[in-house]
Amino acid sequence: MKTIKLRDKLIEKGLKVTPQRIAILEAVHKLNSHPTAEKIFDFVRKDHPNISMATVYKVLDALVANGLLSKVKSEKDSMRYDAVTDKHHHLYSSDSEDIADYYNDEINKILSDYFKEHNITDFEIEDVRLQIIGKFKNRN
Amino acid sequence: MKTIKLRDKLIEKGLKVTPQRIAILEAVHKLNSHPTAEKIFDFVRKDHPNISMATVYKVLDALVANGLLSKVKSEKDSMRYDAVTDKHHHLYSSDSEDIADYYNDEINKILSDYFKEHNITDFEIEDVRLQIIGKFKNRN
DNA sequence: TTATGTAAAGATAATAATTCTCCTTTAAGA
DNA sequence: TCTTAAAGGAGAATTATTATCTTTACATAA
């Protein structure tokens, strides 16, 4: 994604356009592997040597709050960030910290049809996500 | 669940039966609301004033490793423990830290049938869990 | 029933991820 | 350009969890 488009997205949300925000947003798009805040920090620091970890967290929070990024919990301890904000599910490795996006409109339809017919007592569903746990094959 | 049955479960798994383990296992059963380690600690400390937080974590890990408890990640920062180890899903509150268990064999069947027919490239599925996010109604 | 080896408990320090505080800088509109 | 509220930076603080090390106490077997 172009910087110009990222700028527009920030403006659209009423967020100030700062070099740090552009850099972090770009970083999450480039590091397309659900990076941790630390990974993002390391990446961004190449071009912005003075950026602080606190800024990375603050910017990520702002971007998540405005729907420009999304946040996933790893099986271990850290939050992971995702440039993809469309509806999607996640594949979690049961033996490593790998996470992959999983798109499947067919399963989305099955789930949404199912829950349209079957309410959950005293609960108003906003979103249904799958956590698919297993092993990645053919990985180096 | 009776203490005697908890004892047997520990023995069955080759774990030593200790008062701390019994107390912690009982606590998670009694606090049937996905307690945090801290909540469990506070509860257990009433009867075992000398128990340490480290013991709570160690015992919980041992119980989870042996399938006597399960572990869920909250949307925020801490692990939550669950006395229920059967296959089930979770309802997450989008505006609080509440988590509830959700059982539904029908949806289990739909999912397992679906994924039996539709492999995910380069991924071997071990488990599929739903995270259903929304709002609890009629709560005090 | 007591002795003994080992697993587990307890105390405390360490670590890791994240958040907070406080002060400085900067983007964006007047 | 000036103003000011928003954002960034540095570093301390917090929170949850893990590690280390010593002490205690299960569980088996004499």
Side-chain angles (χ1 to χ4, degrees):
Chain A
M1 198 176 316
K2 294 278 175 48
T3 300
I4 189 71
K5 291 201 61 183
L6 299 178
R7 281 186 70 90
D8 291 348
K9 287 200 165 197
L10 289 171
I11 291 164
E12 193 179 300
K13 296 291 178 179
L15 295 172
K16 280 192 184 173
V17 177
T18 68
Q20 293 87 343
R21 286 180 171 173
I22 295 291
I24 288 169
L25 206 36
E26 275 185 342
V28 182
H29 278 89
K30 282 182 188 154
L31 298 165
N32 56 339
S33 53
H34 302 81
T36 59
E38 185 113 35
K39 282 257 168 29
I40 296 163
F41 177 65
D42 291 343
F43 186 93
V44 168
R45 204 158 40 158
K46 289 177 206 158
D47 285 328
H48 298 77
N50 296 321
I51 199 167
S52 97
M53 199 65 216
T55 300
V56 172
Y57 276 106
K58 279 187 276 195
V59 168
L60 288 170
D61 281 353
L63 297 177
V64 169
N66 285 278
L68 304 189
L69 292 178
S70 64
K71 215 175 176 181
V72 202
K73 241 189 187 340
S74 82
E75 284 297 286
K76 277 265 175 59
D77 255 336
S78 54
M79 300 304 312
R80 307 279 289 269
Y81 295 85
D82 195 344
V84 175
T85 53
D86 311 355
K87 184 173 177 68
H88 67 285
H89 307 283
H90 287 104
L91 307 177
Y92 287 80
S93 170
S94 59
D95 53 15
S96 77
E97 281 288 283
D98 282 354
I99 300 173
D101 288 330
Y102 177 64
Y103 291 90
N104 183 327
D105 285 336
E106 200 178 0
I107 199 83
N108 289 346
K109 181 157 171 38
I110 291 170
L111 290 169
S112 96
D113 287 352
Y114 182 84
F115 285 110
K116 221 166 273 164
E117 297 299 315
H118 302 79
N119 288 330
I120 301 174
T121 316
D122 290 342
F123 194 80
E124 188 193 324
I125 299 175
E126 291 166 359
D127 194 14
V128 176
R129 291 187 233 143
L130 287 173
Q131 294 183 292
I132 305 173
I133 297 107
K135 290 198 168 51
F136 289 100
K137 294 181 286 192
N138 310 323
R139 289 254 169 147
N140 316 325
Chain B
M1 199 175 316
K2 295 277 173 49
T3 301
I4 189 72
K5 290 201 63 183
L6 299 178
R7 281 187 69 90
D8 292 347
K9 287 200 166 195
L10 289 170
I11 291 165
E12 194 179 297
K13 297 290 177 179
L15 295 173
K16 280 191 185 173
V17 177
T18 68
Q20 293 86 345
R21 285 179 173 175
I22 296 290
I24 288 168
L25 207 36
E26 275 185 342
V28 182
H29 278 90
K30 282 182 189 154
L31 299 165
N32 56 340
S33 53
H34 303 79
T36 59
E38 186 114 34
K39 282 256 169 25
I40 296 163
F41 177 65
D42 291 343
F43 186 94
V44 169
R45 203 157 41 159
K46 290 177 205 158
D47 286 329
H48 298 77
N50 297 321
I51 200 167
S52 95
M53 198 65 217
T55 300
V56 172
Y57 276 105
K58 280 187 276 195
V59 168
L60 288 171
D61 281 354
L63 298 177
V64 169
N66 286 278
L68 303 188
L69 292 179
S70 64
K71 215 177 178 180
V72 202
K73 244 188 186 339
S74 83
E75 285 296 286
K76 277 263 175 62
D77 254 336
S78 53
M79 300 304 311
R80 307 278 290 267
Y81 296 86
D82 195 344
V84 175
T85 54
D86 311 354
K87 184 172 177 69
H88 66 285
H89 307 283
H90 288 104
L91 306 177
Y92 288 79
S93 170
S94 58
D95 54 14
S96 77
E97 281 287 283
D98 283 355
I99 300 174
D101 288 330
Y102 177 65
Y103 292 88
N104 184 327
D105 285 337
E106 201 178 0
I107 198 84
N108 290 346
K109 180 156 170 42
I110 290 170
L111 289 170
S112 96
D113 287 352
Y114 182 85
F115 286 111
K116 223 167 271 164
E117 296 300 315
H118 302 78
N119 288 332
I120 300 175
T121 317
D122 289 341
F123 194 79
E124 187 192 325
I125 299 175
E126 291 165 359
D127 194 14
V128 177
R129 291 186 232 144
L130 287 173
Q131 293 182 294
I132 304 172
I133 297 108
K135 290 197 168 53
F136 289 100
K137 295 181 286 192
N138 311 323
R139 289 256 169 148
N140 317 324

